[in-house]
Amino acid sequence: MSAEAVHAESFIRRYLFSTDHKTIGKQYLLTAFFMGLFAVGWSILIRIQLAWPHANLPLLSRLFPGLYQDGVLLPERYLSLVTMHGTVMVFFVISFALVSGFGNFIIPLHIGARDMAYPVLNMLSYWTAVPACILMIASFFVPDGAAAAGWTAYPPLSALPQAVPGSGWGQTLWLLGMALFIASFTMGSLNFVTTILNLRTKGMSMFRMPLTVWTLFISSVLGILAFPALTAAAIMLLLDRHGGTSFFLPSGLVVGGQVLEHSGGTPLLFQHLFWFLGHPEVYILVLPAIGIAFDVVAVFGRRPVFGYRTSIWALLVIGVLSMIVWGHHMFTSGMNPYLGEYFSVATVAITVPFAVLGMNLIASLWRAEIRLHPAMLFALAMIAAIGLGGLGGLWLGTASSDMYLHDSYFVVGHFHFMIGVVTAFGIFAGTYYWFPKMFGRMIDQRLGKIHFWATSVGVFFAFIAMHFLGLGGVLRRTYDPTAYEYTASVTWLNLPISIALFLAAAAQVVFLVNFFWSMFRGQKAEANPWEAATLEWTTPSPAPHLNWRELPSVFRGPYEYRTDGRAAGYRSQVVPDEPPAEVRA
Amino acid sequence: MTTVAMGSSETAAPVAHWQGGVSPFAVSWQKLMMWIFLVTDALLFAGFLASYGFVRLASPAWPEQNEVFPMLKIAAMTFVLITSSATMATAVGAAHRRDLKRAMVFVALTALGGLLFLLAQATEWATLIAEGARLTHNPWGPAPFAAFFFMITGFHGSHVLIGVILLTVVALRLWRGRATGMGVEVAGLYWHFVDVVWCFIFPLFYLL
Amino acid sequence: MTTGGQKREVFALAALFVAIAAVTVIGFAHDWKPPVASEEGARVDSLIRYLLFATGAVLVIGAAALVAFLWRYGRGLPSPAPRSDPRLERWWSLVPVLGMAVIAEVGVLVKGLPVWKRVYGAPPPGALVVEVNAQQFEWWVRYPGPDGVFGRRDPHLVDATANPLGLVPEDPAGRDDVVVRNALHLPAGRPVHVRLRSRDVLHSFSIPEFRVKQDVVPGMITAITFVPSRAGSYQIACAELCGLGHYRMGARVIVHPAEEFDTWLEGQNGALQ
């Protein structure tokens, strides 16, 4: 069907129920921003509580009558805030933006395809994700409030409504929302993997794909392999909650003065199933951020990525290892200590390929010609975050130090670096980089740099300091960190951490204003404003429906910057070489 | 084959089907996607079966299956399902040869086999429920035994039901001459998967 | 952007990365941990010191390289043309591979595993066996009494005030059990084997000053072994989210000098008397 014929579509077909991968990608990105408003908002309330645990805040009581009573945040509502902040951030912000958003937008463009393999399924994946979002937000408005058992939802706490408010309807809506999310993500993964395998254009071999595509490919494969375990766990938890079963509930439980009738189950089963997904999930999120960083560093450093092939091998090793180390979240869980020994040895091995990636990112700056565009700033800062997060992970992956650090703020600091800073900086780098291709306009660079500096100063300070809180023994999910005397010498850190995060949160307002203003009023963009070599820049900005008039053919790898001796030159992937002396047809 | 100019980091002898422009496994995207979907579905059942193993190994006692289930009937159900995979394979071959009438007959036979399996499973459930088994209660020992039984066979049964509906639709399309060989093959993949899952459930749950 | 502008930005960025590395190194070098009071805890602290030096070194090297490249190649000075050199890339990748593999596995195998085995291995003979029970939101400690046997329990007999552990009165082994609320009395210098049970949901028994932590799982008995190294008063904190009182589910650990502990224990009455 010609591009012109397709454009005789209504607004609804074109923007709402579009099957064009670029529109779907933007829908996911905007939905992620919307859900991010909630998740960041909840985190602000959390940080207010931690900075001033004994304050009376009548304004907040008036604004949020369901959460506060007489100016004080209710402990069970605090638990709902941390639970939903984590859940929504991981699945409905980071995954939506980085994997579903950029993945949908860029994969066909990077590999020379007109769209995903099954565009209708792609549209369905987005519209399955939307009700999932609604369920999550709605869960705050049910009696007894939103789920409050942590984003990890461990039973028995999450299985028994009498164990904590929030394990009533809130937890059920959480489970249903997650089921829809998993269905949506699976549909997306099916498309991503099939498209990357089958729809690469002529000449686009696997080892000529940009690293963004490689990382999204590995993420999708991990999703396919790992999510079913969480589906199984969610189904069994729903049955324990509503069907009276005892998959996760042993006999003899006494809750609220009553001896419960359950028998035969074990809480550890849930933990194994949850983390079988949970660990690969964090790599599903982190890998595409790293892939985007490589692409950005190449374009704005004007040189090929250092170690393109060794990076791919490292990514594949990370993918495989990520599926066999889930027990490092369970060192103190009561599982067999020999399993703990195995999981520790395997887990710390992951630092090896990560160190390769870190070195390759840094070495990609050797003999570069660095242009400090906002995308590049975020990519460079991401390298620092990978270093800090990755090295902190070694402290947690070693079982005996984890004995002290488990469930402390050391863990919170660590995962906020990997899932909060690395991934968020990947989203920002990708946004500043691909904005012209998405919207046909340039995003304001000055505001971008203000966004970068305010965000970086805030998040680096805050999450480094959280490691100190953790070393001091401050535990996570604690409503009042001053309740224990042994933390008295370190809890003062909570106030500066909160201030730093308020600064970082405010910086996101600058980002959103810049984003939406530039979408409508930014300077019009040309096809290839960054002089980049990959395929998406060979089509106009914004990329038109069906992407190219004629599908391009590919003649070289994705990072041929300044490799032919010309000073600021680059060779696009689609331009043929000058014919050699002999041409065999 | 025209030579394609390569970048400096390429190996000297490329494998043609990975060079882009063709499917590396020489399958249509529909078939590839069905394979990948079946992988996720297989892992869901694997999750259930692994959980069953975990709980059973942690339980001090477990019912003797041949005292609870009519093993001959279960074996017959297994035989019917395996036979239906054979009829499905015949249907796929016929569809590829464009012998649509033969394909339709064998698809219908497959659906019939599935229906027989479901009926037998339903009577199985009815008998056990009459004896007092529930999601929450197991007359022969630890409660999770019954819970796992109903959950796993329930999930498998619903997959069989979906398969029967899918095959009915395919048979109708074959009757009207509007099905492709690939469409029948993709449906066949799903049906074989349903059979393979049963071939894991049967020994792990009923025999061991 | 102007060359001057870019030079200032590179300076700022380099300063940011130097500041991040400095805050990290200085901050981690400070000891935030509460003073240690167990033998296993001292070994954990030794492992943490190893990690501090090893990861600190990697951090400093990485930060130095990042800043150096930024400085040399970011301020507009001409740079030689880069080349893709797969052999060079492969050889260099051996550096992080071997370096991290050694650092990581030495930590686990040499420094970490021995502690793990002490905490999770079979308790040495003569260890004091104590049962610690977790429930929403307090701790109940039980000693087996002079007969050395814990009495049987039945959840149906649980009464919050009179019989919080549901001890079965007919069982003679339980008559001399000593039950204490929110206080764990221990002898200094003697191995302690703690058996953990939960009444309702997951909890986690942690004594930060001893550096030990073990989840308490309903339906199973989990256990750890450790040796308190000096007399004093310490804290138990629940380390697994257990409901709205999780943040205040604390208890005291009172470590007596070894001779005084036996005196204390003998002075306690059995729970069912």
Side-chain angles (χ1 to χ4, degrees), chain A residues 40 52 63 81 96 101 134 195 201 212 217 221 281 286 307 316 363 373 380 385 413 453 480 484 500 540 550 580:
Chain A
V40 171
W52 299 287
L63 285 173
L81 288 173
F96 271 6
I134 295 173
T195 303
T201 190
T212 300
F217 178 64
V221 172
E281 170 64 21
V286 166
L316 289 169
H373 179 270
L380 292 173
W453 283 101
D480 177 0
Y484 291 115
E550 248 182 68

Side-chain angles (χ1 to χ4, degrees), chain C residues 18-213:
Chain C
V18 169
I20 287 171
V23 168
T24 305
V25 170
I26 294 170
F28 269 83
H30 177 266
D31 196 358
W32 302 88
K33 308 192 289 295
V36 71
S38 82
E39 292 181 15
E40 290 71 14
R43 288 174 154 80
V44 169
D45 282 5
S46 166
L47 166 61
I48 287 179
R49 266 195 305 280
Y50 164 81
L51 287 168
L52 178 64
F53 283 114
T55 57
V58 174
L59 178 71
V60 166
I61 293 171
L66 182 60
V67 169
F69 285 149
L70 199 56
W71 196 254
R72 167 64 184 86
Y73 300 108
R75 290 179 308 136
L77 304 164
S79 73
R83 258 173 41 250
S84 272
D85 187 345
R87 273 191 69 236
L88 183 76
E89 293 163 3
R90 277 198 299 272
W91 276 107
W92 267 100
S93 64
L94 280 181
V95 172
V97 166
L98 293 175
M100 280 319 293
V102 169
I103 288 174
E105 299 293 355
V106 163
V108 170
L109 296 169
V110 175
K111 305 280 305 181
L113 232 38
V115 192
W116 194 252
K117 287 189 183 307
R118 276 183 65 133
V119 172
Y120 285 106
L128 170 73
V129 181
V130 183
E131 185 187 81
V132 172
N133 295 277
Q135 64 185 62
Q136 289 178 322
F137 301 105
E138 55 188 16
W139 302 89
W140 287 91
V141 177
R142 178 162 73 137
Y143 299 85
D147 68 351
V149 179
F150 288 106
R152 276 191 304 117
R153 296 159 55 168
D154 180 342
H156 292 91
L157 299 177
V158 166
D159 176 299
T161 41
N163 191 359
L165 296 183
L167 290 171
V168 175
E170 294 79 34
D171 185 3
R175 294 236 171 85
D176 63 349
D177 289 1
V178 172
V179 175
V180 184
R181 180 175 179 272
N182 278 342
L184 175 62
H185 292 257
L186 296 174
R190 186 172 154 203
V192 176
H193 183 69
V194 180
R195 291 161 52 91
L196 296 158
R197 303 175 67 161
S198 168
R199 183 205 272 197
D200 37 36
V201 297
L202 287 168
H203 298 273
S204 187
F205 171 79
S206 83
I207 308 176
E209 288 140 311
F210 290 8
R211 312 289 189 258
V212 292
K213 182 179 286 129

Side-chain angles (χ1 to χ4, degrees), chain A residues 424-503:
Chain A
F425 281 23
I427 293 169
F428 295 141
T431 304
Y432 287 106
Y433 178 46
W434 283 311
F435 195 89
K437 194 54 57 182
M438 287 186 164
F439 301 110
R441 292 180 186 268
M442 304 300 279
I443 192 170
D444 185 278
Q445 286 214 29
R446 234 174 16 117
L447 288 179
K449 293 190 180 191
I450 293 173
H451 173 223
F452 168 75
W453 283 101
T455 305
S456 291
V457 168
V459 299
F460 275 99
F461 171 75
F463 298 127
I464 291 173
M466 280 191 191
H467 289 78
F468 307 149
L469 276 178
L471 283 166
V474 176
L475 296 171
R476 61 186 294 198
R477 298 163 171 170
T478 42
Y479 166 75
D480 177 0
T482 64
Y484 291 115
E485 291 153 28
Y486 72 89
T487 61
S489 62
V490 302
T491 47
W492 63 269
L493 283 168
N494 271 313
L495 178 55
I497 290 175
S498 291
I499 306 284
L501 291 173
F502 295 152
L503 169 67

Side-chain angles (χ1 to χ4, degrees), chain A residues 9-28:
Chain A
E9 285 173 311
S10 69
F11 177 88
I12 288 192
R13 275 297 310 278
R14 192 167 165 188
Y15 288 114
L16 229 39
F17 294 104
S18 172
T19 55
D20 183 316
H21 70 98
K22 301 184 288 299
T23 308
I24 294 172
K26 291 178 217 172
Q27 286 174 314
Y28 269 113

Side-chain angles (χ1 to χ4, degrees), chain A residues 163 253-254 307 332-333 337 341 345 355 365 367-368 370 395 400 403-404 406-407 449 464 468 484-486, chain C residues 1 6 9 24 27 34 55 73 79 89 100 105 112 116-117 136 199-200 208 213-215 217 235 238-239 249:
Chain A
L253 294 178
V254 181
T332 62
S333 66
E341 292 181 24
V345 171
L365 298 173
R367 291 191 172 174
I370 298 173
W395 296 51
S400 302
M403 210 168 42
Y404 178 61
H406 174 72
D407 237 59
K449 293 190 180 191
I464 291 173
F468 307 149
Y484 291 115
E485 291 153 28
Y486 72 89
Chain C
M1 126 162 61
Q6 168 109 351
E9 263 202 272
T24 305
T55 57
Y73 300 108
S79 73
E89 293 163 3
M100 280 319 293
E105 299 293 355
W116 194 252
K117 287 189 183 307
Q136 289 178 322
R199 183 205 272 197
D200 37 36
K213 182 179 286 129
Q214 172 58 50
D215 284 8
V217 184
Q235 279 196 278
C238 178
M249 187 169 153

Side-chain angles (χ1 to χ4, degrees), chain A residues 304-320:
Chain A
V305 158
F306 183 95
Y308 171 74
R309 287 215 177 203
T310 55
S311 294
I312 291 174
W313 293 121
L315 290 167
L316 289 169
V317 169
I318 289 172
V320 170

